[in-house]
Amino acid sequence: MNLRLTIKPEDVRDAMPPDRVLLEAAARGMVVAVRRHLREKNDRTPPKNGFPKSNYYAEAADTARGSVADGVAVVEVGPDDPNGPGSGIALHYYGGTVRPKKKALAIPISPAVAGMWPSEATGVGADLAMIWPKNSAHGFLKDNERNELLWLLVPKATIPADPDVLPSDDEVLSAAERAVLPLLEGAS
Amino acid sequence: MTATEALLRKTLVASGLDTAGWSTVQAGLRDRAFFMAEVERVRVLAAARKEAAAILASGKSMSEARRDLRAALRADGYQPGDDERGTIKDLYTKQRLDVMLKTNVAQARGYADYLAATSTGALMAFPAYEFIRVYQRKVPRGDWRVRWDSAAQAVGWQGVARGTSRMVALKTSPIWARLSRFDNPFPPFDFGSGMGLDDVDLTECRRLGLGDEAKAQKPPRVDFNGSLQAEVPVADGSPEAERLRSAFGDQVVFDGNVARWRGNLIRDVLDGELASADIGTGFDGQPLVVSHSALADALTARPDIPDAVPLTLGDFELLPSIWRNPAKIQKAKYNRDHLTLDTLDGGVLNLIVDPDLGVTQFYKLLKK
């Protein structure tokens, strides 16, 4: 007669941490990978000529968050409301065309107005004039008092897709797996 | 909890206290307050919180938030003092608005992330944080290493990695709150700080000598208000209670020997955690108790008031203000008082109070 031991799948499952705990670890692994990737991209991205560094990708990294819902681990990057208007980071990843709500998009061309919309400048009393040469594809907003061109006006802006905004799916999956493994090793 | 929810769980608290003064308020109380140093105007606080929430919830730009907050300040009639104009005390300046918005947004994100990072599974996989520079600054603070060592010493190196140049500690180590100017175990650790956190996995923790402590870590306790900070007993009538009353008036209440914000009580009533709460002394010197049913009614659509617009959280928190200092008082049917107060988002709050029944109606109309 042989000695025989049997293990059923439920025996193994009972020895493992609950699914939710594993998914929390996986979600965190994904968040850590995405955040590190975005921070490294931020470090590599130089500021525009003469402009202060915008830290755009570092700020995006701060919005990265993981959650567990309906039996899956999810990582998101961007504002809390997924249906809201404002995720610039998705635009950078997927690419797309930005069209103005009003007449034109305003792109700062002077460091003095870095991160500032014209409506904010006029709100603090700036005297702005629009200059749009005939038959030109673009125009400018000028500060009359300082006689300085501050914003470039364009009818639209096309952002190319940049898959480097996020780590690859393989990298994210590996990060999730690496996060979960110690929990399995430590299961008793 | 999302970052937006983390922000909105803080109630508006108006006070003339400066930053140093606020830092002496117990963390458990401060944690649940949305405040701006030396700002005593509740409507301004409501507008500021609304803009910070919009940045978190929908990605509103800082520029639009500053623009709209300046418009709210003008609508409130705010003017800086002559010696404040152009300085960080001037609420119109970019410097002041940026510090306020960025700090509140970062704290809300930091808090929400801390809760996620210390969930059971996340804590097992990544038991520690490393304190690193995340944002470059034109003039970085050069003293973080000194602050780290000093904080580690102060907490007896509990959960802190030793014998390494890296600044690593277990997520539940008391060093994080000790390091923080705000007493929080999550970023930001100071105004405008570019320092942040990176998770450290269990393998690395073992290598740094934190393996055993890492295994013993438990997720931090979070109370039903979503607060990490314990409420500290403050006996009514004690010098501490008098100090709080002096700074905050009737915005602070003493509830079973614990100091709480009246605004939090109103929120708890709105959420159904409490059946009712006293919203303070009114224009006529009388207190007013609001019930959950009265506030819940205010949330439902009003077919009898077709021009009514939905009430916001900030509107409910203005209940003490409209009761204490209404813009207009009229007599309504059945000898009820009909009080109104303009909000900074173009609305007019209407509160109708029956001398016997209390609040009978609370609604908002758009200003014509």
Side-chain angles (χ1 to χ4, degrees):
Chain A
M1 185 178 83
N2 291 334
L3 288 176
R4 199 171 136 102
L5 297 166
T6 55
I7 292 181
K8 300 193 257 332
E10 47 266 37
D11 297 326
V12 176
R13 229 175 275 127
D14 286 346
M16 282 174 35
D19 283 353
R20 185 175 178 93
V21 171
L22 294 175
L23 288 174
E24 283 170 354
R28 194 67 191 174
M30 295 196 293
V31 167
V32 171
V34 167
R35 216 173 253 173
R36 284 179 184 160
H37 182 91
L38 284 166
R39 285 172 176 168
E40 282 162 16
K41 187 171 175 72
N42 190 73
D43 288 344
R44 287 195 311 270
T45 305
K48 275 196 315 195
N49 228 354
F51 277 69
K53 192 167 168 82
S54 73
N55 286 307
Y56 179 80
Y57 291 108
E59 288 184 6
D62 284 348
T63 71
R65 59 200 178 276
S67 58
V68 175
D70 301 326
V72 295
V74 177
V75 62
E76 288 181 270
V77 183
D80 284 340
D81 180 1
N83 299 316
S87 185
I89 196 67
L91 181 63
H92 283 272
Y93 181 71
Y94 292 110
T97 300
V98 184
R99 294 180 199 283
K101 286 180 200 156
K102 292 184 179 172
K103 289 188 187 152
L105 298 174
I107 301 168
I109 52 174
S110 163
V113 294
M116 192 183 289
W117 289 36
S119 57
E120 183 189 357
T122 53
V124 292
D127 178 17
L128 300 179
M130 183 165 68
I131 301 169
W132 203 302
K134 214 167 174 170
N135 300 322
S136 173
H138 58 264
F140 298 92
L141 278 176
K142 177 182 134 173
D143 182 323
N144 280 330
E145 205 179 303
R146 290 152 49 156
N147 197 30
E148 186 184 350
L149 297 179
L150 297 179
W151 283 277
L152 172 71
L153 299 175
V154 295
K156 63 178 180 181
T158 301
I159 315 286
D162 180 5
D164 182 56
V165 165
L166 290 178
S168 67
D169 288 353
D170 282 346
E171 284 170 314
V172 174
L173 186 56
S174 296
E177 286 171 352
R178 282 196 306 275
V180 168
L181 275 174
L183 277 70
L184 299 176
E185 286 164 8
S188 58
Chain B
M1 181 183 287
T2 66
T4 311
E5 286 164 349
L7 177 75
L8 294 178
R9 57 184 266 285
K10 292 172 177 267
T11 194
L12 309 173
V13 179
S15 167
L17 280 187
D18 60 11
T19 305
W22 267 105
S23 70
T24 67
V25 175
Q26 301 148 18
L29 206 48
R30 201 174 62 234
D31 177 54
R32 296 219 63 208
F34 183 94
F35 61 92
M36 292 167 67
E38 297 177 273
V39 173
E40 299 182 77
R41 309 161 90 106
V42 176
R43 295 192 305 175
V44 167
L45 293 174
R49 189 180 63 184
K50 183 181 160 205
E51 294 307 322
I55 292 170
L56 290 166
S58 62
K60 185 169 187 174
S61 72
M62 284 288 297
S63 180
E64 290 174 295
R66 288 191 299 260
R67 176 197 66 196
D68 292 347
L69 206 28
R70 287 191 184 110
L73 288 166
R74 281 192 289 271
D76 197 54
Y78 167 76
Q79 282 294 335
D82 289 336
D83 55 344
E84 293 174 336
R85 207 174 297 275
T87 73
I88 199 161
K89 287 178 182 275
D90 179 350
L91 300 184
Y92 283 117
T93 59
K94 181 176 186 289
Q95 187 187 13
R96 179 63 187 269
L97 293 174
D98 279 356
V99 162
M100 184 278 296
L101 287 168
K102 286 182 177 178
T103 303
N104 278 288
V105 164
Q107 281 181 341
R109 282 194 182 130
Y111 183 72
D113 188 65
Y114 183 77
L115 293 183
T118 54
S119 64
T120 305
L123 204 56
M124 289 168 76
F126 297 93
Y129 284 130
E130 182 168 8
F131 191 52
I132 58 169
R133 177 157 293 283
V134 173
Y135 292 85
Q136 301 309 316
R137 291 286 183 251
K138 266 190 253 177
V139 184
R141 286 183 180 89
D143 63 347
W144 280 113
R145 183 74 228 194
V146 171
R147 285 169 72 163
W148 176 266
D149 290 341
S150 169
Q153 203 80 266
V155 303
W157 292 86
Q158 190 184 330
V160 183
R162 296 222 211 197
T164 172
S165 58
R166 295 167 67 189
M167 294 182 280
V168 175
L170 295 178
K171 287 176 178 175
T172 58
S173 165
I175 191 174
W176 300 111
R178 188 75 195 210
L179 186 65
S180 167
R181 188 200 176 113
F182 311 110
D183 302 321
N184 292 324
F186 50 83
F189 290 89
D190 207 331
F191 288 113
S193 172
M195 300 299 287
L197 301 173
D198 188 27
D199 288 54
V200 178
D201 65 28
L202 182 57
T203 305
E204 189 64 12
C205 282
R206 285 182 183 132
R207 213 184 59 74
L208 291 168
L210 292 173
D212 289 340
E213 284 178 88
K215 288 199 100 164
Q217 260 194 141
K218 292 274 179 284
R221 278 192 61 239
V222 179
D223 72 13
F224 77 95
N225 290 314
S227 184
L228 286 169
Q229 306 281 4
E231 287 173 331
V232 178
V234 179
D236 200 355
S238 67
E240 174 67 8
E242 290 317 303
R243 198 176 72 81
L244 289 170
R245 274 210 177 89
S246 168
F248 303 113
D250 68 355
Q251 294 177 99
V252 64
V253 296
F254 297 90
D255 175 22
N257 268 353
V258 170
R260 301 190 67 192
W261 300 119
R262 194 179 294 279
N264 288 146
L265 290 180
I266 293 170
R267 295 276 289 277
D268 290 345
V269 171
L270 186 60
D271 292 342
E273 300 281 350
L274 283 178
S276 63
D278 175 357
I279 66 167
T281 307
F283 68 99
D284 59 358
Q286 299 299 313
L288 179 64
V289 173
V290 291
S291 66
H292 170 68
S293 55
L295 297 189
D297 280 348
L299 284 170
T300 55
R302 301 297 309 266
D304 56 323
I305 310 173
D307 295 334
V309 295
L311 288 160
T312 66
L313 183 58
D315 295 331
F316 283 99
E317 289 183 67
L318 286 174
L319 272 168
S321 297
I322 187 175
W323 179 235
R324 185 185 318 118
N325 198 19
K328 210 157 107 179
I329 307 165
Q330 291 171 286
K331 273 297 180 196
K333 270 199 301 195
Y334 312 119
N335 200 33
R336 290 171 181 168
D337 289 313
H338 183 161
L339 317 175
T340 59
L341 182 72
D342 289 358
T343 62
L344 296 183
D345 59 359
V348 182
L349 293 176
N350 289 259
L351 179 66
I352 303 183
V353 181
D354 183 281
D356 298 315
L357 303 173
V359 174
T360 57
Q361 290 184 72
F362 181 51
Y363 58 91
K364 182 167 158 183
L365 302 173
L366 284 178
K367 244 188 270 189
K368 290 198 173 33

